[in-house]
Amino acid sequence: MNKIYIFMIFIFVFKGTYLKADESCLFVYGMCMEGRNELYSTAVNLLQEEFYVEGYEQLVHQFNSGDYGAARFIAMVANFDGFGPNDNSDEFIVRWLIKGSAKNDNEAMLILGIAYHEGRYGLKIDREKAKKLYYQSWALGNPISAYRYVGMVSSVDNYFDVEINALIKAASKLGAEKGHARSQYTFAQWYLINNKEGHQANICAWLRLSVLQGFSVNNISKSWDEEKCAAFKDKVYDEIIEKYRGEEYPDYEKLYEKQWLHYKKLRQKTRLDKTNHHNK
């Protein structure tokens, strides 16, 4: 396969493709209520029964008690007007994302970074603030923030700069080892593009792991895996597969995108309802 073509695909992936959302669990307000979100089931039950004040107060209590992920959860519930007739505004969402970020919640930092990056929730686009938030979130272990930071600072022109190349490797490695399928793909491509010694084992192992999670870019990873790696096997390959096969890191970025689209639809409907009411 042409190396330049592979390199261009690598950059395209860093700039933002998305995995298929996992629909294997109960979703409320666009969020899977398993794992980390089980902490908020009491509040969700109250909100679903339209006890909006009580549900909000429960989440605020959890935040004030040291569960700083509650700030991110509050902001995401507001995407769905989850607090009923109470505040679900842009300002409300941004305020809670800032609260979570100030407490070093890496997901709140990521979502706030995306908001500055793309001009969401009434914020003006500010690439420097976005990069800072992505970098801080990455430092706290968030692989999607690492991915987005590198996507902002890397390009075809600077890919082989020593500092940028090292950042790409570090970001991809973090996500790959945490089970983030896109990072597994790009980590394999990093070995391929840089032609590192012993790279075939790493390419085949990380591509295999990404394919097992259903990831492909125009089936490139799948075809490479089938054509070049089908019969390949050595100690390094076996060790990588054995160590990381059970790791799966959901693509929360895709989830946040769905929540944002839902939020925009709700706001458009609200504006339309207000206009129709005014014209009557």
Side-chain angles (χ1 to χ4, degrees), residues 12 37 53 55 85-86 106 137 142 151-152 184 189 196 207 227 231 240:
F12 170 74
N37 288 332
V53 172
N86 301 307
N106 66 55
S137 179
N142 192 305
M152 290 187 76
Q184 291 171 341
Q189 295 299 316
K196 295 296 182 182
L207 282 180
E227 294 171 13
I240 293 172

Side-chain angles (χ1 to χ4, degrees), residues 1 9 181 184-186 188-189 203-204 206-208 210-212 214-229:
M1 185 178 292
I9 291 297
Q184 291 171 341
Y185 176 85
T186 53
Q189 295 299 316
I203 292 170
C204 291
W206 291 115
L207 282 180
R208 170 60 69 189
S210 70
V211 169
L212 287 173
F215 182 77
S216 66
V217 180
N218 297 329
N219 290 321
I220 289 171
S221 61
K222 184 177 179 181
S223 64
W224 173 270
D225 189 83
E226 290 175 348
E227 294 171 13
K228 306 294 184 182
C229 299

Side-chain angles (χ1 to χ4, degrees), residues 5-127:
Y5 179 57
I6 293 172
F7 175 52
M8 293 301 293
I9 291 297
F10 180 92
I11 293 297
F12 170 74
V13 173
F14 254 122
K15 296 303 179 184
T17 56
Y18 298 109
L19 284 175
K20 191 174 182 180
D22 179 11
E23 303 292 348
S24 61
C25 72
L26 174 64
F27 275 70
V28 181
Y29 305 119
M31 293 177 281
C32 174
M33 293 306 298
E34 293 180 359
R36 61 194 182 145
N37 288 332
E38 288 183 23
L39 295 169
Y40 313 117
S41 58
T42 299
V44 166
N45 289 336
L46 289 167
L47 293 170
Q48 294 284 287
E49 293 295 325
E50 299 186 2
F51 292 107
Y52 299 118
V53 172
E54 293 83 353
Y56 175 66
E57 288 178 346
Q58 170 65 29
L59 290 168
V60 172
H61 172 72
Q62 289 181 244
F63 177 82
N64 290 335
S65 299
D67 177 7
Y68 301 127
R72 179 265 313 168
F73 196 85
I74 289 170
M76 294 300 95
V77 169
N79 275 270
F80 289 76
D81 284 352
F83 298 111
N86 301 307
D87 200 353
N88 294 282
S89 65
D90 287 344
E91 294 80 5
F92 177 84
I93 291 171
V94 170
R95 184 165 71 248
W96 275 104
L97 291 176
I98 290 173
K99 282 177 177 282
S101 298
K103 294 296 186 179
N104 290 329
D105 181 76
N106 66 55
E107 282 195 67
M109 287 177 175
L110 168 61
I111 301 167
L112 187 58
I114 294 172
Y116 276 117
H117 193 178
E118 301 180 6
R120 299 181 177 184
Y121 306 122
L123 295 174
K124 292 182 179 180
I125 291 175
D126 190 324
R127 289 176 57 84

Side-chain angles (χ1 to χ4, degrees), residues 105-227:
D105 181 76
N106 66 55
E107 282 195 67
M109 287 177 175
L110 168 61
I111 301 167
L112 187 58
I114 294 172
Y116 276 117
H117 193 178
E118 301 180 6
R120 299 181 177 184
Y121 306 122
L123 295 174
K124 292 182 179 180
I125 291 175
D126 190 324
R127 289 176 57 84
E128 291 308 310
K129 284 185 178 179
K131 280 197 293 186
K132 183 178 179 180
L133 285 160
Y134 290 155
Y135 190 79
Q136 291 173 333
S137 179
W138 174 5
L140 292 167
N142 192 305
I144 299 175
S145 294
Y147 206 96
R148 289 189 71 99
Y149 178 82
V150 170
M152 290 187 76
V153 302
S154 64
S155 68
V156 172
D157 294 329
N158 69 11
Y159 178 85
F160 290 104
D161 290 355
V162 173
E163 184 178 351
I164 296 297
N165 195 264
L167 283 172
I168 291 170
K169 180 185 180 183
S172 299
K173 184 174 186 290
L174 171 68
E177 292 180 349
K178 286 197 171 190
H180 185 230
R182 284 189 300 156
S183 295
Q184 291 171 341
Y185 176 85
T186 53
F187 197 31
Q189 295 299 316
W190 183 87
Y191 275 98
L192 180 61
I193 294 167
N194 286 276
N195 198 27
K196 295 296 182 182
E197 183 178 352
H199 65 278
Q200 190 173 357
N202 287 281
I203 292 170
C204 291
W206 291 115
L207 282 180
R208 170 60 69 189
L209 289 167
S210 70
V211 169
L212 287 173
Q213 291 198 62
F215 182 77
S216 66
V217 180
N218 297 329
N219 290 321
I220 289 171
S221 61
K222 184 177 179 181
S223 64
W224 173 270
D225 189 83
E226 290 175 348
E227 294 171 13

Side-chain angles (χ1 to χ4, degrees), residues 209 241-248:
L209 289 167
I241 296 293
E242 182 178 353
K243 185 173 182 179
Y244 296 107
R245 184 163 189 164
E247 298 292 334
E248 290 189 14

Side-chain angles (χ1 to χ4, degrees), residues 268-280:
Q268 288 168 355
K269 183 178 183 302
T270 299
R271 286 194 295 270
L272 182 61
D273 290 345
K274 286 181 178 179
T275 300
N276 291 338
H277 179 76
H278 179 76
N279 291 335
K280 284 183 178 179

